[in-house]
Amino acid sequence: MNQEKIEILKQIFPDSFIRKGEEFVCYCPKHTHHKKKLEINLVKNNFSCWVCKWGGPIFKLFKECGTRDQANKYYALIGHAPELKEEEVERIFLPEEYLFLLNAQEFPQGVAALDYLSQYEITEKTIIQNKLGICLSGDFRDRIIFPSFDEAGHINFFTSRALYDSKMKYWSRGRLSQIVFNELFLDWSKPVVLLESVKAYCRHFEQVPNLICLNGCYISKKYELFKKIIINDCPMVYVGFDPEADKESLEAISKFTEYDIPVKQVRFDKQPDEIDSKQFISCIENAHELDKFDSLRRKLWSAVA
């Protein structure tokens, strides 16, 4: 059935290609761009443009492109004009008990939090700029709060780190799929560096621009972060995952190379939060650029090893 859909779409968009057998990729008719940025999902029967964000169910596309006969032939293959549900964006607020960390120095928890951060050379300037906090009571009691702000400066996520022994060292609020961590500080016209941990992010925040904390080592094509990187044609993505996450690093790299985004793998001998910023920058400068074939070879090598 996909082949029949492709034949119909090729009549409308002859300059196109197929990705992974289920994505029809072509130029968007809504704007002029030097790359093919319109994607039509042949399984879900919806479409979207990475640049202008035009998208929706396939019938919206046929309203503006192609003939009625082409549209009817496509609908006959799927039996209907499908609907597309949009994910509701979750509103996030800091805990009511949140206290700015530098205002908590008279409390034992505040002193303990500052001592903990000093082990990772996290400075007062970083604490102020990132609005790090502490909770003395409530659900997040005895936890350091690491907020994230969207491009307009609104809270969109926060994670917390337990000061003392806890079954859950880290505990977060918000959906990682919907946010870009601290987008407020990012310049999409320049390279970005992806990191796993908020500790590494804070340790190198002052010395390395455009850091992005993933709060993990996974990124999906459905993530808002991934979409923003593609939409903005980011000039370079440095994937700086922890040393033990080589497989996850290669998976992330392969996703970016599919969309012609330049990407380099940053290799660390130690955890990124355990090295100083001078060493960290040196690792970035020595990062290796991988193309889609190099990435595939590395994946196969890792599987065999």
Side-chain angles (χ1 to χ4, degrees), residues 45-47 56-65 71 74-75 78 80-84:
N45 299 300
N46 55 44
F47 74 99
I58 195 71
F59 73 83
K60 283 181 63 177
L61 182 67
F62 279 120
K63 273 187 175 181
E64 301 200 27
C65 305
Y74 194 99
Y75 297 153
I78 61 177
H80 66 292
E83 296 180 358
L84 182 67

Side-chain angles (χ1 to χ4, degrees), residues 14-242:
D15 192 356
S16 58
F17 66 91
I18 310 300
R19 180 187 290 123
K20 293 189 174 179
E22 62 181 40
E23 290 180 347
F24 185 95
V25 186
C26 58
Y27 290 106
C28 179
K30 289 285 189 179
H31 63 87
T32 301
H33 197 273
H34 64 285
K35 292 183 181 179
K36 300 177 180 69
K37 292 293 183 179
L38 183 77
E39 295 184 358
I40 302 169
N41 190 299
L42 300 171
V43 177
K44 297 179 180 179
N45 299 300
N46 55 44
F47 74 99
S48 63
C49 174
W50 287 96
V51 178
C52 68
K53 297 186 179 181
W54 182 45
I58 195 71
F59 73 83
K60 283 181 63 177
L61 182 67
F62 279 120
K63 273 187 175 181
E64 301 200 27
C65 305
T67 65
R68 181 180 294 275
D69 182 58
Q70 289 166 335
N72 288 337
K73 286 180 179 178
Y74 194 99
Y75 297 153
L77 293 173
I78 61 177
H80 66 292
E83 296 180 358
L84 182 67
K85 296 181 180 179
E86 294 186 2
E87 185 180 12
E88 184 178 350
V89 177
E90 184 180 4
R91 291 285 305 277
I92 298 296
F93 303 94
L94 288 173
E96 291 183 9
E97 302 83 7
Y98 164 89
L99 179 64
F100 178 52
L101 191 52
L102 297 185
N103 293 337
Q105 298 181 67
E106 61 184 277
F107 302 101
Q109 297 99 318
V111 173
L114 290 169
D115 286 345
Y116 173 80
L117 295 177
S118 68
Q119 297 174 33
Y120 297 94
E121 300 180 357
I122 297 172
T123 66
E124 186 173 297
K125 182 178 179 180
T126 294
I127 292 171
I128 293 171
Q129 287 187 285
N130 288 272
K131 304 295 185 292
L132 304 191
I134 187 80
C135 285
L136 306 178
S137 60
D139 292 340
F140 291 86
R141 178 180 178 180
D142 299 339
R143 288 179 173 272
I144 304 173
I145 305 298
F146 300 88
S148 166
F149 301 90
D150 65 20
E151 58 187 338
H154 301 129
I155 293 289
N156 59 6
F157 178 88
F158 71 85
T159 190
S160 67
R161 207 281 183 188
L163 281 173
Y164 311 115
D165 291 339
S166 171
K167 291 181 180 178
M168 295 178 63
K169 280 189 177 181
Y170 287 93
W171 186 16
S172 304
R173 284 275 174 86
R175 299 180 188 176
L176 289 172
S177 62
Q178 292 184 339
I179 67 111
V180 177
F181 194 86
N182 273 342
E183 187 174 3
L184 180 68
F185 301 121
L186 295 177
D187 180 351
W188 292 111
S189 67
K190 298 178 180 179
V192 299
V193 182
L194 306 185
L195 294 172
E196 286 189 46
S197 80
V198 72
K199 285 189 299 182
Y201 172 88
C202 288
R203 177 161 192 168
H204 306 296
F205 177 80
E206 283 186 53
Q207 303 299 322
V208 184
N210 270 14
L211 292 178
I212 301 177
C213 174
L214 289 180
N215 291 281
C217 57
Y218 175 75
I219 183 170
S220 165
K221 294 179 184 179
K222 297 180 180 180
Y223 274 28
E224 185 67 15
L225 168 59
F226 190 88
K227 294 175 183 177
K228 285 287 180 76
I229 289 173
I230 305 302
I231 289 169
N232 289 286
D233 268 332
C234 195
M236 178 63 69
V237 175
Y238 292 93
V239 178
F241 291 173
D242 295 352

